[in-house]
């Protein structure tokens, strides 16, 4: 989404939406109020920002794993390792993006407590959209603000 469209959406007061797409049985659109339906987790995070130095913030929100599991990733549940080929691409309205592996967030593997934050320092993110928060990262480069799209991709089933 362009910065102009985002500015218009914010000025209009509409809640930002995140589109969940890809290899999902239940692709969907979610707002910050929708994300409040999941159990909320809190993370006090310190990370280095290339432009502003060390940042300290408190975030709350559901686990990315919980939200994506509800959307029904299309891996074979009878084959435990099938999950390991799935990637998660996260995109923000400002053009920033990152990729995670499913294994990073899966409780059977990395179990990283990655959040889709709905508050930043107790301020709601309804209009701006949720923020990807990786409490374990020393560098804040994978913290994506104003998430507008998350794509789950399991297209790596064969190596040729």
């Amino acid at each position: 989404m362009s910065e102009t469209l985002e500015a218009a959406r914010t000025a209009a007061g509409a809640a930002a939406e995140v589109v969940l797409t890809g290899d999902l049985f239940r692709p969907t659109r979610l707002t910050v109020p929708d994300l409040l339906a999941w159990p909320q987790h809190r993370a006090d995070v310190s990370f280095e920002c290339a432009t502003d130095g060390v940042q300290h913030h408190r975030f709350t929100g559901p686990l990315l794993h919980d939200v994506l599991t509800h959307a029904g990733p299309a891996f074979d549940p009878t084959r435990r390792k099938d999950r390991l080929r799935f990637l998660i691409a996260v995109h923000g309205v400002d053009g920033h993006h990152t990729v995670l592996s499913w294994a990073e967030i899966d409780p059977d593997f990395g179990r990283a407590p990655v959040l889709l934050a709905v508050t930043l320092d107790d301020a709601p993110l309804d209009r701006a959209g949720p923020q990807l928060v990786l409490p374990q990262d020393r560098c804040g480069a994978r913290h994506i603000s104003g998430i507008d799209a998350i794509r789950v991709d399991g297209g790596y089933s064969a190596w040729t």
Side-chain angles (χ1 to χ4, degrees), residues 1-126:
M1 178 178 297
S2 74
E3 290 178 16
T4 305
L5 289 175
E6 176 57 19
R9 181 173 73 178
T10 300
E17 284 189 332
V18 178
V19 179
L20 303 182
T21 64
D23 295 325
L24 299 169
F25 291 117
R26 292 177 298 281
T28 191
R29 293 177 178 270
L30 298 169
T31 63
V32 167
D34 295 331
L35 293 170
L36 290 168
W38 274 273
Q40 300 295 295
H41 299 266
R42 186 175 114 183
D44 293 313
V45 179
S46 296
F47 57 88
E48 289 182 31
C49 177
T51 56
D52 297 324
V54 177
Q55 301 288 303
H56 304 280
H57 294 289
R58 172 176 292 148
F59 296 94
T60 59
L63 293 173
L64 176 63
H65 180 265
D66 292 349
V67 174
L68 293 181
T69 297
H70 187 265
F75 46 72
D76 182 346
T78 65
R79 296 178 44 229
R80 186 177 192 176
K81 290 184 181 179
D82 193 44
R83 299 176 268 178
L84 302 181
R85 66 184 170 89
F86 280 71
L87 298 176
I88 304 161
V90 181
H91 184 270
V93 296
D94 61 0
H96 284 93
H97 52 274
T98 194
V99 177
L100 295 88
S101 71
W102 186 272
E104 283 183 79
I105 65 169
D106 193 300
D108 287 339
F109 299 99
R111 197 190 323 201
V114 177
L115 297 181
L116 286 177
V118 295
T119 69
L120 166 61
D121 297 329
D122 300 320
L125 296 173
D126 293 29

